[in-house]
Amino acid sequence: GQKRKVWELIRHKVNPVAACPRDVEDLKKRWRDLKRRDRSKLCRLSQGCGPPGPDTALGLLLAPEEMSPAAAPPA
């Protein structure tokens, strides 16, 4: 019951600022997808050739819409 209450609280915080309203199950799926995407990016980082520079690491960890325009890679 407590987990459900926390997800409901998250839903009430996210929906006013979201592009489209989501229910609790949609939020859980989105959270799992984000975790999987980030794990995949971290895995690629760790298998790269040599240590990545700060711009490279930032580009792999953040989606283009999450980066500031100055840090975004050229299209």
Side-chain angles (χ1 to χ4, degrees):
Q2 188 172 358
K3 285 185 180 182
R4 178 71 181 181
K5 287 179 185 178
V6 171
W7 279 108
E8 284 292 335
L9 177 64
I10 293 169
R11 184 178 66 85
H12 286 293
K13 298 281 185 171
V14 168
N15 279 340
V17 296
C20 61
R22 299 175 189 267
D23 62 16
V24 170
E25 292 306 314
D26 290 337
L27 289 170
K28 287 180 180 181
K29 180 181 183 310
R30 178 72 173 147
W31 178 245
R32 284 189 304 266
D33 291 345
L34 287 171
K35 287 192 307 185
R36 184 176 54 245
R37 184 196 73 186
D38 289 347
R39 282 188 199 122
S40 172
K41 288 179 182 181
L42 286 172
C43 183
R44 282 184 289 182
L45 262 177
S46 69
Q47 293 174 357
C49 300
D55 292 338
T56 306
L58 182 64
L60 284 175
L61 293 176
L62 297 176
E65 64 272 9
E66 297 170 319
M67 289 190 283
S68 68

